[in-house]
Amino acid sequence: MNQHIILGLWPIAGVTTIGVTRENAIATIHAAIDAGIRQFDTAYSYGLQGEADERLGAVLKDLDGPTRDEIQIIGKVGQRYGEDGARVNDGNPETLVVDAENSLRRIGIRCFDTLMLHCVDEEVPIEASAWALQRLMQRGMAKRVGVCNATPEQRAAFASVVPCSAIQCPLNGLQQEPLSNEIADAKEHDCDAWVYWTLMKGLLAGKIERDHVFAEGDSRPNYPIFQGAARERAHDIVDQLKVIAADTGRSVANLSISWAVSQPGVTAALVGAHRPEQIADFASAGPLPKAVRRQVNELFATSSDSQAE
């Protein structure tokens, strides 16, 4: 069982990932379980009609015995779709309760292992959102609760109402700021830190070439890291990661994810996939040997220095 990897189900929802099918999505979750992954991260907003929840639920129906008992489900509420189809943050207590109830129903379970506020709603005091999650926990619909995409100050405000057991934030070698901010704060307060974007939308997987042209509808070109000099620097780093990966018998993706889970305070990495053949590449990721970690740290530190100049 790999406790360092959580399968993130956003790609399986098929909203921004092109070519997702229900058959492949379900096969991907099964492949993750077969590979020893036991934690799955979903959300009310993962799919226009809750596709991630439904597909996870379809897999859970096929499981029984010890394997089913080992599965842990992370749910998130506080984000939904507006009338224009865009995702919006909604931290109103009434909305959080309804969305949690619907998400549980779609999955076919009675209780989340961890239920999280997906995003902070700037129009709603975070204490009010935390109160709603506390009520859901008291009703037996969540074993523990947490908050995603929050500053340390927001996490503290959330924790003033109900214990904050986990956070989610981005982290990869190109974006290390959370290590000294959200992750350090979580570590200080005995809080799990689950990190996403460990492959920076595939860039740190080593399979996107410098001249790659993204398909129409792919959202990745909109991110600054995929533009101009920032992308060139990223490709320079990936070229060096390929050398380290080859020397250590890893893929670049496995190396990048393993670097993330090797960082102090990081509990596990959220990694997405939507085809079963993608699972094997990262299912064995885990903390790096000290010598390899030092080598990758130096590479990323050099990159950070050059970007600061």
Side-chain angles (χ1 to χ4, degrees):
M1 186 189 309
N2 189 340
Q3 297 180 345
H4 299 288
I5 301 298
I6 301 169
L7 184 66
L9 301 187
W10 170 243
I12 280 173
V15 178
T16 57
T17 305
I18 298 171
V20 177
T21 67
R22 185 175 187 275
E23 180 182 19
N24 272 345
I26 290 174
T28 300
I29 298 173
H30 276 297
I33 293 171
D34 292 342
I37 294 173
R38 294 293 184 267
Q39 299 179 86
F40 297 87
D41 175 82
T42 184
Y44 177 81
S45 63
Y46 282 6
L48 298 176
Q49 301 297 327
E51 284 83 352
D53 284 350
E54 184 274 330
R55 291 163 183 177
L56 176 60
V59 172
L60 296 180
K61 289 178 182 178
D62 293 337
L63 299 179
D64 55 23
T67 300
R68 177 62 186 91
D69 293 339
E70 293 170 352
I71 300 297
Q72 295 190 357
I73 308 300
I74 302 163
K76 300 191 292 294
V77 290
Q79 193 176 81
R80 53 180 26 237
Y81 293 93
E83 294 182 359
D84 60 355
R87 285 193 293 173
V88 296
N89 298 333
D90 188 342
N92 285 291
E94 298 82 1
T95 304
L96 299 180
V97 170
V98 170
D99 289 355
E101 292 172 342
N102 285 332
S103 194
L104 286 169
R105 176 183 50 79
R106 293 188 304 213
I107 301 170
I109 60 176
R110 295 182 177 181
C111 178
F112 289 108
D113 292 282
T114 305
L115 179 61
M116 310 189 77
L117 180 64
H118 201 155
C119 289
V120 177
D121 184 348
E122 299 297 341
E123 302 298 320
V124 177
I126 193 171
E127 293 88 348
S129 299
W131 175 85
L133 268 62
Q134 180 186 46
R135 291 287 295 160
L136 287 163
M137 190 164 60
Q138 291 170 342
R139 291 172 57 191
M141 300 171 71
K143 295 178 182 177
R144 57 185 207 150
V145 297
V147 61
C148 309
N149 308 306
T151 65
E153 293 75 20
Q154 290 169 330
R155 182 213 57 78
F158 182 97
S160 71
V161 176
V162 60
C164 182
S165 297
I167 67 160
Q168 289 186 13
C169 66
L171 177 68
N172 58 68
L174 303 174
Q175 300 170 314
Q176 298 187 40
E177 296 84 359
L179 282 173
S180 57
N181 195 23
E182 296 95 333
I183 295 171
D185 175 71
K187 183 180 180 183
E188 180 181 350
H189 292 90
D190 195 26
C191 184
D192 283 336
W194 296 324
V195 298
Y196 60 88
W197 285 4
T198 55
L199 296 179
M200 194 50 241
K201 299 292 185 176
L203 190 55
L204 289 176
K207 295 183 179 180
I208 298 176
E209 301 298 334
R210 293 174 187 268
D211 59 352
H212 179 81
V213 178
F214 293 97
E216 184 177 352
D218 195 315
S219 63
R220 287 176 290 184
N222 298 324
Y223 290 88
I225 195 68
F226 283 94
Q227 301 171 12
R231 181 170 175 178
E232 285 301 314
R233 283 194 294 267
H235 282 295
D236 290 342
I237 292 169
V238 170
D239 288 343
Q240 296 179 71
L241 285 175
K242 289 179 179 179
V243 176
I244 300 173
D247 289 344
T248 58
R250 300 170 179 266
S251 68
V252 175
N254 188 291
L255 181 63
S256 298
I257 297 167
S258 295
W259 174 86
V261 300
S262 298
Q263 302 311 302
V266 172
T267 309
L270 295 145
V271 187
H274 67 280
R275 299 191 308 274
E277 60 268 24
Q278 296 173 313
I279 296 295
D281 198 27
F282 61 76
S284 63
L288 293 169
K290 290 183 179 180
V292 179
R293 183 167 69 246
R294 186 180 308 112
Q295 190 176 8
V296 179
N297 279 340
E298 291 174 355
L299 170 59
F300 285 139
T302 301
S303 164
S304 297
D305 291 343
S306 66
Q307 293 186 46
E309 292 174 355

